[in-house]
Amino acid sequence: MSRTLTPLDQFITRADRLLRGITHTSTAPKAERPSPAHKQPEAPLKAHERKHAAGLMRVNHAGEVCAQALYRGQALTAKLPQVRNDMERAAAEEVDHLVWCQERLDELGSHASYLNPLWYGLSFTLGAGAGLVGDRVSLGFVAATEDQVCQHLESHMKKLPVGDRKSRAVVEQMLDDEARHADMALAAGGMRFPAPVKSLMTMVSKVMTETSYRL
Ligand SMILES: [Fe+2]
Ligand SMILES: [Fe+2]
């Protein structure tokens, strides 16, 4: 017996496909922009360089899974009447990032983090919770998160093998986009989180990046 999918069914189906890295079905996430990696040549990487690049791209992919969950959680509860278009634009760019990272992981012969379902659930809850508190907090949370992401991406530009121009091109474009997302959230009235909150976020993100690099 067939039935119409409820919004919850659609959400679960979407999250499931996203988390399993399914990119070949009509409901899989699709990038609006081609990956910046497409224009770069594939370099002959040594085995340890390939493994390291895959670890870093797995961290970036996990970060993008979090971004999906954060924006979706927030969309569920926040009002954001003035900035909904900007937020949707940012969310669409996060889909691009997610797909680019997944593609690069595939090319490096590696896999997404096994812990992504956990990161997805936590980020969704945080996004929805921030949205419930109010738009100022919710937008502030986006800005603080994007700041963290920018710091990671900058460090990855230093850590990625110099010859891995494909991964570097992806990270470079993401860095550009995330910095703009942070500015947008602050310009829209997001609060600047105090230093202790940001320190706590740094600690949480350290756990997330160190485990996702390996698992
Ligand atoms: Fe992103
Ligand atoms: Fe972003």
Side-chain angles (χ1 to χ4, degrees):
M1 191 177 77
S2 69
R3 66 184 178 94
T4 313
L5 289 180
T6 66
L8 180 64
D9 292 334
Q10 288 176 21
F11 166 75
I12 292 170
T13 308
R14 228 185 136 89
D16 180 54
R17 287 184 191 285
L18 183 148
L19 291 170
R20 285 192 288 147
I22 294 174
T23 52
H24 57 274
T25 68
S26 58
T27 51
K30 287 207 175 42
E32 284 183 2
R33 297 169 291 172
S35 171
H38 292 179
K39 287 193 183 145
Q40 300 297 331
E42 185 67 85
L45 297 171
K46 297 194 179 90
H48 73 274
E49 288 179 323
R50 179 173 287 268
K51 194 172 171 221
H52 182 49
L56 294 173
M57 293 312 285
R58 184 160 41 251
V59 170
N60 294 335
H61 181 268
E64 295 304 328
V65 166
C66 293
Q68 293 297 313
L70 169 64
Y71 280 99
R72 282 185 195 285
Q74 186 185 47
L76 201 69
T77 55
K79 295 186 196 72
L80 307 169
Q82 313 300 332
V83 290
R84 191 158 287 280
N85 281 347
D86 285 342
M87 297 305 288
E88 281 170 5
R89 176 81 250 128
E93 290 183 354
E94 304 297 4
V95 174
D96 288 354
H97 300 167
L98 182 82
V99 173
W100 300 345
C101 287
Q102 180 69 56
E103 271 179 21
R104 190 62 194 135
L105 276 172
D106 291 345
E107 287 167 359
L108 289 165
S110 196
H111 60 85
S113 173
Y114 300 124
L115 299 170
N116 280 344
L118 176 65
W119 310 139
Y120 191 93
L122 286 174
S123 303
F124 186 88
T125 309
L126 280 172
L132 279 177
V133 179
D135 286 357
R136 231 181 122 241
V137 169
S138 179
L139 288 165
F141 187 58
V142 169
T145 308
E146 298 283 11
D147 274 351
Q148 296 272 335
V149 175
C150 284
Q151 284 175 28
H152 282 294
L153 294 175
E154 276 165 10
S155 78
H156 286 191
M157 285 305 283
K158 294 190 186 115
K159 292 177 191 167
L160 276 167
V162 179
D164 187 359
R165 283 164 59 184
K166 280 186 175 286
S167 299
R168 299 180 78 85
V170 169
V171 171
E172 209 164 345
Q173 183 60 52
M174 280 167 57
L175 192 48
D176 220 56
D177 293 344
E178 314 299 16
R180 198 160 19 80
H181 298 166
D183 290 346
M184 179 269 292
L186 286 179
M191 68 180 287
R192 284 183 194 275
F193 278 17
V197 178
K198 285 189 130 182
S199 301
L200 184 69
M201 289 174 75
T202 305
M203 275 161 58
V204 173
S205 74
K206 210 165 146 55
V207 173
M208 187 259 202
T209 52
E210 282 178 10
T211 48
S212 298
Y213 179 86
R214 285 179 280 115
L215 300 172

